């Protein structure tokens, strides 16, 4: 039954793609939640995450090899390092702009994006780097359906990270504080919550998730370059908007939905994969027109 | 004195909002701040809690300077407040609202929270216990799992008070706690304010327009008009002070009749 196999294959591909989108969209949505900033540098944080993961893997591969263990360590190192980079970006670039008009901080985010991109460009001379791993190309075959080990581990890792985040946000002190800060900062200050610290933790976690996605994407697709964060950043933004920006569950859902939509979109006859991006951004426009608050976002009702 | 203000002046673009205010609240006392609308009462609260930064004067809490401290530091030192218009985290449960007040009393850092250390788990349990105690104290324990926004207005006010108590203050500032409450709820509020002082030894300073309530609960009353303290003393003394009567009767639409 080739039709069923095609269908299932599209689901598998969609889940892989969706995991990347979801991990990046989470950062977008969390950062938007606490400081109401659309952090357009977030895609580039993902790119930096890929390079740091690449560097970490070449460092540890001599000791533990470039297999699963090596990659796991690389992901961890990248998450921590880039997480702190996120905090530094927030402190240096965004913190001073918090009291400025909203547009200023948005422009600052674009500037940070350019700094990261061009920094990576000058360090790598714009060339693709081959992200070599010893993961192999094994997988499960069911007729014409093929599910690689890599895809399974990737989706599972993303799922674990998202469940951990959900737990953190709903059950822990800082998670609650994060939600409280996104609702009413001044009230939080009055309750003795160190708002700056909560914002820093949000950047730490958001950037760390993007770094995990970057490193895993590098390993999965086999190559990285300085411009890899641009398009996926915009798509993750789309995913966050679909889910309802500011909503964490929404970002996860939006990421997966977008991944699946893209994956199925390329299966439509006469619409080849070169139309994929048109498809994605058409969805963004449709959502913005018909349901600007997204699937799980709440519309703000002005009290008269 | 638990809280002491000396010669505090606050100006906004040339407007003097507070003019050399001398003011104090003793530990474990019940005090009120009254005055016509626009007298500067809420500005005084905002100055104490660190949201406004008076240009001149001195504000001490428990012997330490708090003027120009950040709001979250002031709260950590033991000052809590509620708002004129209820400001709850609407999309969070009542329990979570109250727990948010405990944040400043926790020790486990962010990493503990991410890594779920045993110390952090124990702390979460402790936080839950204290939150329940605070909710029981004001009588909203049965609504712990409801979303704050779904409670009746009177109960939302109580959630706000429970959340303020959860910060474990030595002084609680209540900004018009009786606004919008009916007679029964007001009577219960008076009872609650007394219990906050008697059972928890927390000093209470309230801004209130309901003079019946003010006269019933306050041991000390301070009257503010045009940013100046024009009278202070017991309910009886303030009631008969000619300056106070003038300040109120000079207004057209004041709800207060002494």
């Amino acid at each position: 039954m080739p039709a069923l196999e095609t269908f299932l294959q599209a689901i598998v591909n969609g889940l892989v793609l969706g995991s990347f989108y979801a991990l990046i969209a989470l950062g977008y949505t969390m950062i938007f939640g606490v400081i109401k900033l659309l952090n357009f540098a977030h895609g580039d944080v993902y790119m930096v995450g890929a390079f740091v993961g690449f560097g970490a893997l070449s460092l540890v591969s001599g000791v533990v090899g470039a297999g699963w263990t090596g990659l796991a360590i690389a992901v961890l190192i990248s998450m921590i390092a880039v997480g702190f980079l996120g905090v530094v970006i927030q402190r240096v670039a965004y913190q001073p702009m918090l009291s400025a008009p909203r547009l200023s901080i948005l422009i600052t985010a674009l500037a940070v994006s350019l700094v990261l991109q061009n920094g990576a460009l000058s360090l790598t001379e714009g060339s693709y780097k081959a992200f070599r791993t010893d993961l192999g190309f094994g997988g499960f075959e069911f007729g014409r359906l093929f599910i690689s080990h890599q895809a399974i581990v990737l989706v599972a890792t993303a799922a674990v990270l998202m469940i951990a985040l959900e737990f953190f946000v709903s059950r822990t002190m800082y998670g609650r504080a994060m939600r409280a800060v996104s609702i009413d900062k001044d009230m939080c200050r009055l309750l003795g919550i160190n708002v700056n610290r909560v914002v820093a933790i949000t950047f730490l976690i958001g950037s760390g998730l993007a770094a995990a996605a970057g490193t895993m994407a590098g390993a999965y697709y086999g190559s990285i370059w300085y411009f890899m964060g641009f398009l996926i950043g915009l798509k993750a933004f789309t995913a966050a908007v679909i889910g309802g920006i500011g909503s964490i569950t929404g970002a996860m859902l939006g990421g997966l939905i977008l991944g699946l939509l893209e994956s199925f979109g390329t299966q439509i006859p006469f619409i080849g994969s070169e139309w994929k991006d048109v498809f994605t951004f058409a969805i963004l426009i449709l959502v913005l027109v018909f349901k600007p608050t997204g699937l799980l976002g709440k519309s703000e009702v002005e009290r008269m | 004195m638990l809280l002491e203000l000396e010669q505090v002046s606050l100006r906004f673009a040339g407007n003097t909002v507070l003019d050399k205010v001398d003011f104090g609240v003793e530990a474990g006392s019940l005090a009120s701040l009254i005055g016509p609308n626009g007298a500067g009462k809420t500005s005084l609260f905002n100055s104490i809690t660190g949201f406004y930064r008076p240009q001149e004067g001195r504000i001490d809490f428990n012997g330490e300077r708090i003027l120009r401290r950040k709001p979250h530091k002031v709260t950590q030192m033991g000052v809590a407040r509620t708002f004129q218009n209820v400001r709850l985290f609407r999309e969070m449960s009542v329990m979570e609202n109250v727990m948010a007040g405990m944040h400043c009393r926790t020790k486990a850092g962010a990493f503990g929270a991410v890594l779920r250390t045993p110390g952090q788990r124990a702390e979460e349990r402790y936080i839950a216990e204290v939150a329940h105690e605070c909710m029981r104290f004001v009588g909203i324990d049965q609504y712990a799992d409801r979303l704050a926004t779904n409670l009746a207005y009177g109960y939302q006010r109580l959630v706000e008070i429970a959340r303020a108590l959860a910060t474990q203050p030595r002084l609680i500032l209540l900004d018009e706690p009786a606004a919008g409450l009916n007679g029964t709820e007001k009577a219960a509020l008076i009872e609650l304010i007394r219990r906050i002082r008697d059972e928890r030894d927390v000093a209470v300073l309230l801004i209130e327009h309901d003079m019946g309530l003010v006269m019933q609960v306050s041991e000390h009353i301070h009257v503010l008009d045009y940013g100046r303290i024009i009278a202070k003393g017991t309910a009886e003394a303030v009631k008969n002070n000619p300056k106070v009567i003038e300040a109120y009767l000079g207004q057209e639409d004041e709800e207060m009749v002494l």
Side-chain angles (χ1 to χ4, degrees):
Chain A
M1 254 169 54
L4 179 66
E5 280 158 1
T6 312
F7 177 76
L8 291 175
Q9 192 71 58
I11 287 191
V12 173
N13 297 343
L15 284 179
V16 170
L17 206 53
S19 301
F20 291 134
Y21 293 159
L23 285 176
I24 306 167
L26 281 169
Y28 258 111
T29 221
M30 287 164 65
I31 289 168
F32 181 81
V34 293
I35 59 170
K36 302 291 173 274
L37 159 72
L38 293 173
N39 183 14
F40 281 115
H42 200 61
D44 303 295
V45 169
Y46 156 91
M47 175 272 295
V48 173
F51 276 98
V52 173
F54 173 77
L57 185 64
S58 28
L59 279 181
V60 300
S61 61
V63 188
V64 294
W68 294 112
T69 325
L71 189 62
I73 295 172
V75 167
L76 214 59
I77 292 176
S78 177
M79 282 180 80
I80 294 168
V82 176
F84 280 102
L85 172 72
V87 176
V88 171
I89 290 173
Q90 192 271 330
R91 279 291 147 94
V92 174
Y94 302 148
Q95 186 77 24
M97 307 301 285
L98 283 183
S99 48
R102 192 75 67 79
L103 198 56
S104 314
I105 191 166
L106 194 69
I107 295 167
T108 311
L110 293 173
V112 171
S113 166
L114 288 176
V115 166
L116 293 178
Q117 262 176 37
N118 288 288
L121 170 65
S122 59
L123 288 175
T124 62
E125 291 161 345
S127 61
Y128 281 87
K129 298 272 174 224
F131 201 118
R132 287 199 195 85
T133 60
D134 300 333
L135 301 180
F137 298 96
F140 301 104
E141 266 178 82
F142 307 96
R144 283 176 51 207
L145 174 66
F146 178 73
I147 307 175
S148 70
H149 293 148
Q150 288 195 32
I152 294 171
V153 172
L154 198 151
V155 173
T157 309
V160 167
L161 287 173
M162 287 190 262
I163 291 167
L165 177 71
E166 182 64 40
F167 184 84
F168 172 77
V169 169
S170 64
R171 294 287 166 78
T172 68
M173 212 61 221
Y174 271 96
R176 268 192 298 278
M178 198 180 285
R179 279 182 295 149
V181 165
S182 74
I183 300 172
D184 189 342
K185 275 194 203 51
D186 281 343
M187 193 65 232
C188 286
R189 293 194 175 99
L190 274 175
L191 293 173
I193 295 172
N194 186 339
V195 172
N196 288 344
R197 186 180 297 165
V198 173
V199 171
I201 290 168
T202 308
F203 270 84
L204 182 85
I205 295 176
S207 307
L209 291 175
T215 308
M216 294 198 293
Y220 188 76
Y221 295 116
S223 72
I224 55 177
W225 71 314
Y226 77 99
F227 206 57
M228 66 186 276
F230 176 73
L231 193 59
I232 199 165
L234 286 180
K235 286 188 179 176
F237 168 67
T238 307
V241 171
I242 292 176
I245 193 126
S247 158
I248 286 178
T249 329
M252 300 180 191
L253 199 65
L256 291 178
I257 288 175
L258 189 65
L260 289 168
L261 282 175
E262 270 195 8
S263 170
F264 279 100
T266 55
Q267 300 293 328
I268 301 170
F270 311 114
I271 300 185
S273 54
E274 66 270 28
W275 284 82
K276 194 170 71 174
D277 302 339
V278 177
F279 195 72
T280 304
F281 296 117
I283 293 170
L284 174 63
I285 292 169
L286 288 177
V287 170
L288 285 176
V289 170
F290 292 107
K291 194 148 188 341
T293 55
L295 293 173
L296 300 178
K298 288 190 191 76
S299 56
E300 283 182 17
V301 182
E302 286 280 327
R303 281 212 174 175
M304 304 301 279
Chain B
M1 283 285 170
L2 181 63
L3 174 73
E4 203 167 8
L5 281 77
E6 198 184 273
Q7 297 287 300
V8 172
S9 293
L10 173 73
R11 283 180 293 273
F12 285 129
N15 269 335
T16 302
V17 182
L18 296 175
D19 190 6
K20 296 185 178 137
V21 170
D22 288 319
F23 182 80
V25 178
E26 277 173 51
S29 69
L30 294 174
S32 289
L33 182 63
I34 63 170
N37 288 326
K41 303 184 294 292
T42 300
S43 296
L44 185 63
F45 269 23
N46 283 336
S47 301
I48 296 169
T49 49
F51 273 96
Y52 291 166
R53 302 182 156 207
Q55 285 83 356
E56 287 159 34
R58 185 172 63 85
I59 304 180
D60 287 358
F61 181 74
N62 210 7
E64 279 187 76
R65 302 251 152 145
I66 57 171
L67 187 66
R68 284 188 259 280
R69 289 241 182 158
K70 289 187 175 155
H72 74 263
K73 291 281 180 205
V74 175
T75 308
Q76 281 167 13
M77 291 171 69
V79 182
R81 84 169 275 190
T82 65
F83 278 86
Q84 223 168 82
N85 43 343
V86 176
R87 278 176 77 173
L88 293 174
F89 303 121
R90 296 160 52 87
E91 298 87 21
M92 288 165 63
S93 74
V94 169
M95 173 85 170
E96 287 178 326
N97 265 280
V98 179
M99 285 167 110
M102 289 282 297
H103 195 275
C104 63
R105 301 288 169 223
T106 57
K107 284 183 279 309
F111 283 103
V114 179
L115 300 173
R116 286 301 283 164
T117 56
Q120 195 261 341
R121 278 160 193 256
E123 191 158 61
E124 282 287 329
R125 271 196 303 278
Y126 167 71
I127 290 164
E129 254 168 52
V130 177
H132 273 294
E133 190 273 322
C134 292
M135 287 189 291
R136 266 197 305 276
F137 186 82
V138 303
I140 50 164
D141 206 23
Q142 68 272 35
Y143 302 122
D145 297 322
R146 291 249 207 116
L147 279 192
T149 177
N150 293 342
L151 287 192
Y153 182 75
Y155 287 114
Q156 293 194 8
R157 293 226 90 118
L158 293 177
V159 176
E160 227 188 7
I161 294 176
R163 186 175 63 180
L165 289 175
T167 65
Q168 298 170 1
R170 296 200 57 202
L171 169 68
I172 185 167
L173 311 176
L174 303 175
D175 197 346
E176 294 196 36
L181 298 188
N182 64 34
T184 328
E185 288 168 333
K186 265 181 204 166
L189 178 70
I190 291 173
E191 188 57 35
L192 178 62
I193 291 173
R194 289 197 176 125
R195 281 177 53 229
I196 289 175
R197 196 273 301 268
D198 297 344
E199 294 174 27
R200 305 180 85 96
D201 198 30
V202 174
V204 180
L205 173 62
L206 74 154
I207 292 179
E208 188 50 67
H209 281 297
D210 185 312
M211 285 307 134
L213 190 146
V214 168
M215 296 299 163
Q216 274 187 64
V217 296
S218 332
E219 296 158 348
H220 307 278
I221 297 177
H222 305 254
V223 188
L224 197 64
D225 190 28
Y226 290 108
R228 287 193 195 146
I229 295 282
I230 56 165
K232 59 178 91 178
T234 60
E236 208 53 41
V238 164
K239 216 189 271 189
N240 300 320
N241 187 317
K243 276 197 205 158
V244 178
I245 294 167
E246 194 196 312
Y248 274 95
L249 294 184
Q251 285 221 151
E252 290 162 46
D253 61 342
E254 192 48 52
E255 60 269 49
M256 165 179 170
V257 180
L258 286 168

